[in-house]
Amino acid sequence: MRRHHRAATLTTAAVVGALLAAGCSSGSGGKKSEAGNTDAAAGKATTPRMTVALVTHAAPGDTFWDLIRKGAQAAAAKDNIKLVYSSDPVAGNQANLVQNAIDQKVDGIALTAAKPDAMKGVVAKAKAAGIPVVGFNSGLDDWKELGMIEYFGQDENIAGQAFGERLNQAGAKHAVCVIQEQGQVALEARCAGLKKGFKGTTENLYVNGTDMPSVKSTLTAKLQKDSSIDQVVTLGAPIALTAVRSVKDAGSEAKVATFDLNKDLVGAIQGGSIEFAVDQQPYLQGYLAVDALWLYKTNGNVSGGGTAPVLTGPAFVTKDNVDSVAEFAKKGTR
């Protein structure tokens, strides 16, 4: 399984080709909580103590964000950083959390920009206060315009195209792309990329990702209504696991594949109920975002030269290679 950790922008064709040869939501932790120590690498920085705010759009119930946070905690432990985590899925509330970090005069802010327009004002205020801001996970197309110094994540549109190409190889004809949060730029980009790369029919289905019974009933009804759907594409591990139940309840023969990974999803790939997953390595995103702020403050380093994102994915996890990932998933880091 290849991984693409590059600071240079790649062409769509090159990335899709590499992926095919090798072959990205909501969180725990409440509004505010200070992170503790985790299993970090040996050694700890002797630089002065820093405070970094990690502010995401996570909503309760999605283990994806646990992985982000664990990576951030590991970097904080290594770098002698006090990490303060907060999250809110409502864009305006997330912006208020960023403002709280500015008011607390933190040394750096790492944030997700799922709704970029909501972040414009507070990122500008952070810059004016001399607080460096890095982006991760969401906002790849907007981080430079917003004034962030670096970005760590996956090119979701390219990942979607690679996903579509893989479905072509599998012979799928009609895919439904399940979006759990309408207007969230990373999720919309995944389905847009899928539509571009997939030769069959693609349609989007919007569901409420914070209400799993509703997700299940909405998708079940869709599959019952249209028996031509032979592929369900989900954008998060909990949605994928729910989709498996929907397919069964609907009496559908559709297959399920997804973006993003967690421990339970690894087991589903091993068991064959999920075809494959695209791993954007959320642990790595959290780790790099926090470590980047330490490097910037202590040595003036800027990954990607401040002009290109650092890509943490995508990479396909299939039944052929899932066992190599499973050992890390059991530890809660993949």
Side-chain angles (χ1 to χ4, degrees):
M1 178 174 61
R2 300 179 189 169
R3 295 182 174 83
H4 305 277
H5 302 153
R6 302 184 185 178
T9 302
L10 301 175
T11 65
T12 297
V15 174
V16 171
L19 288 169
L20 291 174
C24 137
S25 319
S26 342
S28 62
K31 284 276 182 115
K32 282 188 176 183
S33 57
E34 188 175 318
N37 205 337
T38 62
D39 295 332
K44 184 173 180 179
T46 57
T47 49
R49 184 77 161 164
M50 286 174 53
T51 298
V52 168
L54 188 76
V55 187
T56 77
H57 63 279
D62 192 337
T63 52
F64 175 88
W65 296 97
D66 296 339
L67 302 179
I68 292 269
R69 194 170 175 186
K70 285 182 179 181
Q73 290 171 338
K78 177 180 70 72
D79 293 338
N80 192 26
I81 287 174
K82 175 184 177 182
L83 182 69
V84 180
Y85 178 83
S86 60
S87 66
D88 200 300
V90 178
N93 294 342
Q94 186 193 2
N96 289 337
L97 294 174
V98 177
Q99 182 62 58
N100 290 344
I102 296 169
D103 294 341
Q104 293 166 18
K105 296 180 171 55
V106 298
D107 297 295
I109 298 172
L111 61 82
T112 60
K115 304 287 177 64
D117 288 345
M119 295 295 110
K120 284 182 180 178
V122 286
V123 173
K125 289 179 181 179
K127 287 182 64 179
I131 300 173
V133 180
V134 301
F136 68 98
N137 179 261
S138 298
L140 179 138
D141 293 329
D142 302 278
W143 66 277
K144 283 189 286 187
E145 183 180 346
L146 290 175
M148 302 184 198
I149 60 172
E150 301 166 79
Y151 182 86
F152 304 91
Q154 175 173 266
D155 188 319
E156 304 292 3
N157 192 280
I158 288 178
Q161 291 178 55
F163 201 114
E165 292 286 354
R166 192 171 188 90
L167 295 186
N168 293 336
Q169 290 186 346
K173 302 298 181 186
H174 185 176
V176 59
C177 193
V178 184
I179 303 178
Q180 68 264 32
E181 184 182 349
Q182 189 165 5
Q184 208 268 57
V185 291
L187 302 182
E188 298 282 357
R190 288 176 173 180
C191 289
L194 174 71
K195 187 173 184 178
K196 188 173 181 180
F198 182 46
K199 294 178 180 178
T201 300
T202 304
E203 57 179 306
N204 294 347
L205 178 67
Y206 291 95
V207 297
N208 179 2
T210 62
D211 184 351
M212 283 301 167
S214 174
V215 172
K216 183 173 177 288
S217 62
T218 300
L219 181 54
T220 299
K222 178 66 176 177
L223 293 170
Q224 288 173 333
K225 183 179 180 180
D226 191 346
S227 60
S228 72
I229 296 171
D230 59 4
Q231 184 71 53
V232 177
V233 177
T234 62
L235 309 182
I239 307 294
L241 296 168
T242 298
V244 171
R245 296 193 292 272
S246 291
V247 168
K248 182 178 180 180
D249 288 353
S252 171
E253 296 184 1
K255 298 184 182 300
V256 180
T258 191
F259 288 81
D260 296 334
L261 205 62
N262 67 17
K263 181 173 65 175
D264 292 334
L265 194 90
V266 165
I269 294 173
Q270 289 174 316
S273 60
I274 302 287
E275 289 181 288
F276 61 84
V278 174
D279 184 18
Q280 62 174 306
Q281 300 187 104
Y283 181 95
L284 186 61
Q285 291 176 6
Y287 186 98
L288 292 177
V290 171
D291 197 45
L293 288 166
W294 178 80
L295 287 166
Y296 180 78
K297 294 287 287 188
T298 62
N299 202 47
N301 296 122
V302 179
S303 297
T307 62
V310 176
L311 300 183
T312 62
F316 284 112
V317 178
T318 71
K319 198 167 184 177
D320 292 335
N321 60 21
V322 67
D323 289 345
S324 65
V325 175
E327 61 178 298
F328 302 114
K330 286 180 182 177
K331 295 191 292 186
T333 57
R334 289 293 293 275

